[in-house]
């Protein structure tokens, strides 16, 4: 069992066919604390989806599910949260943001959270 990695899922949704939804379910199932931020309020696996970016602390991982054009508005929010790493899931790759994160000593991972969790490499 991996240790609890407090994770912010950015781009959270209540649409069960979406990867962000499945990631929240799997993170909770594997015992991780999950915060969720999305466009619409709702709940997934007991996690309430917030629509406003509230300051967060002691975050291990930010898992991105928003495309690069929408990421810009979250650059400062994520950097200020000082996560240990940011995971860019398929479709969210953003070399500009990688540079900013690296300058702030935040690890960049281009990966799929669902795959990492399935392989116990999260």
């Amino acid at each position: 069992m991996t240790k609890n990695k407090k994770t912010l899922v950015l781009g959270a949704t209540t649409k069960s066919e979406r990867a962000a939804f499945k990631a929240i379910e799997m993170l909770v199932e594997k015992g991780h604390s999950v915060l969720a931020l999305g466009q619409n309020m709702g709940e997934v696996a007991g996690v309430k989806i917030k629509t406003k970016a509230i300051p967060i602390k002691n975050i291990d991982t930010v898992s991105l599910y928003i495309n690069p054009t929408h990421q810009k508005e979250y650059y400062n929010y994520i950097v200020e949260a000082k996560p240990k790493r940011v995971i860019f899931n398929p479709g969210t790759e953003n070399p500009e943001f990688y540079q900013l994160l690296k300058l702030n000593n935040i690890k960049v991972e281009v990966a799929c959270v669902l795959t990492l969790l399935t392989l116990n490499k999260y």
Side-chain angles (χ1 to χ4, degrees):
M1 179 78 182
T2 55
K3 72 177 182 67
N4 178 0
K5 292 186 177 162
K6 190 173 174 186
T7 302
L8 169 66
V9 174
L10 190 49
T13 179
T14 56
K15 294 178 181 163
S16 61
E17 71 278 7
R18 304 297 295 259
F21 179 97
K22 292 175 179 143
I24 293 170
E25 279 189 326
M26 198 179 259
L27 284 160
V28 168
E29 184 182 299
K30 298 238 180 211
H32 299 286
S33 302
V34 181
L35 301 169
L37 189 57
Q39 287 186 310
N40 301 305
M41 288 172 42
E43 193 171 309
V44 178
V47 177
K48 291 197 182 323
I49 298 173
K50 307 252 188 285
T51 56
K52 292 209 177 3
I54 52 162
I56 51 174
K57 287 187 172 128
N58 305 318
I59 199 91
D60 182 87
T61 303
V62 173
S63 180
L64 291 177
Y65 291 95
I66 53 177
N67 72 43
T69 42
H70 290 100
Q71 290 171 20
K72 279 190 190 320
E73 63 189 278
Y74 295 102
Y75 283 7
N76 289 337
Y77 175 69
I78 292 171
V79 169
E80 286 167 16
K82 295 182 178 75
K84 288 187 178 88
R85 66 179 172 169
V86 175
I87 298 176
F88 290 81
N89 287 279
T92 66
E93 298 86 353
N94 183 348
E96 176 186 273
F97 196 15
Y98 301 166
Q99 295 308 316
L100 177 63
L101 292 167
K102 288 174 184 172
L103 285 171
N104 286 279
N105 298 313
I106 298 168
K107 185 178 176 200
V108 169
E109 273 188 58
V110 180
C112 174
V113 165
L114 296 172
T115 302
L116 291 172
L117 288 165
T118 301
L119 299 173
N120 288 318
K121 302 228 184 262
Y122 192 77

